[in-house]
Amino acid sequence: QLLQIQEGLYATTKEEDLKMDGRLYNLALYTISRSRDTKKAVRARRMVDKLKELDDGQMDVRTYFNLLSASAYTNGTPEEKLEAFQIAVDALKELRESLGREPDSSCFGMFLKACANLMPESRKRDAVVSSVFKKCCSDGLVDDFVLSEFERASSEALQLEILGGFLEDDVRIPEEWSKNVEEDDEV
């Protein structure tokens, strides 16, 4: 609501110091992602669309992480969860297309969290989780967050297939799966 007030003030006064910028939208996006609103994924999506319209260079990986977070933590009806999951799928795709780069480990982990929270256990969920996790492995971005969300989102059969065991049994992953993880995020 504060953003709407500021947008309205700028529209009427055209004072430059009231003009919305990407930092304010990113801050609002973070706030929305932490709310209890069952429509937060939809609201976050609208916020990202407004930020894209600004085209002021403030769109970054953190923007998409917050959009993924808003989606992953959406509670509500099955329809609201499905809508939030579709927003998460679109966010991951858009991150690649809009920023011209691959997701980082935090975005992969948050997408896996969205799978665990928004999709019912099924072969379809395992297929999505498998595809995303394998991409993360090939990019060398598997960190503790990605591993823990993979464990939550995947069936035991998928864990056995990909990891050859279970994390709770201290299964070790190949070093190349984590070769591009930032030092402070290492497995």
Side-chain angles (χ1 to χ4, degrees):
Q1 290 174 334
L2 290 175
L3 285 178
Q4 291 171 335
I5 292 168
Q6 185 159 349
E7 287 172 335
L9 285 171
Y10 175 72
T12 26
T13 65
K14 298 294 184 204
E15 289 185 39
E16 281 301 306
D17 59 338
L18 293 175
K19 187 175 182 179
M20 294 296 294
D21 66 10
R23 290 174 302 171
L24 288 173
Y25 279 113
N26 273 316
L27 181 61
L29 185 58
Y30 172 80
T31 304
I32 290 168
S33 74
R34 300 293 183 250
S35 75
R36 293 178 188 214
D37 184 359
T38 60
K39 293 283 190 190
K40 65 181 163 183
V42 173
R43 293 184 206 297
R45 173 75 260 171
R46 277 194 228 125
M47 193 68 56
V48 169
D49 291 342
K50 286 183 178 186
L51 187 53
K52 282 168 59 176
E53 288 173 17
L54 278 181
D55 196 28
D56 68 352
Q58 295 292 322
M59 292 278 296
D60 60 11
V61 173
R62 190 62 34 203
T63 303
Y64 287 99
F65 175 82
N66 285 325
L67 179 55
L68 287 165
S69 179
S71 298
Y73 286 106
T74 293
N75 289 311
T77 66
E79 293 78 19
E80 288 168 329
K81 286 184 173 187
L82 177 62
E83 185 175 34
F85 182 72
Q86 188 57 56
I87 289 170
V89 168
D90 293 344
L92 205 59
K93 180 180 174 190
E94 207 174 284
L95 170 57
R96 290 182 174 121
E97 293 171 357
S98 295
L99 299 181
R101 61 176 286 190
E102 292 299 314
D104 63 8
S105 57
S106 65
C107 288
F108 276 120
M110 193 54 70
F111 184 81
L112 290 170
K113 184 181 283 292
C115 292
N117 291 349
L118 303 172
M119 294 182 79
E121 290 182 27
S122 65
R123 279 187 266 167
K124 184 173 183 171
R125 181 168 99 177
D126 265 359
V128 171
V129 168
S130 176
S131 175
V132 170
F133 186 74
K134 285 177 180 177
K135 174 68 173 142
C136 189
C137 292
S138 69
D139 289 354
L141 293 171
V142 177
D143 63 6
D144 289 337
F145 178 50
V146 169
L147 272 176
S148 68
E149 293 308 323
F150 172 74
E151 182 180 38
R152 284 187 63 237
S154 61
S155 66
E156 288 184 355
L158 183 60
Q159 289 177 52
L160 281 172
E161 176 188 328
I162 293 179
L163 301 177
F166 301 104
L167 294 176
E168 61 194 31
D169 297 330
D170 291 328
V171 69
R172 303 298 298 161
I173 64 166
E175 283 184 31
E176 62 265 15
W177 288 7
S178 300
K179 68 183 176 196
N180 295 320
V181 172
E182 302 279 329
E183 261 186 52
D184 58 329
D185 294 337
E186 279 188 35
V187 177

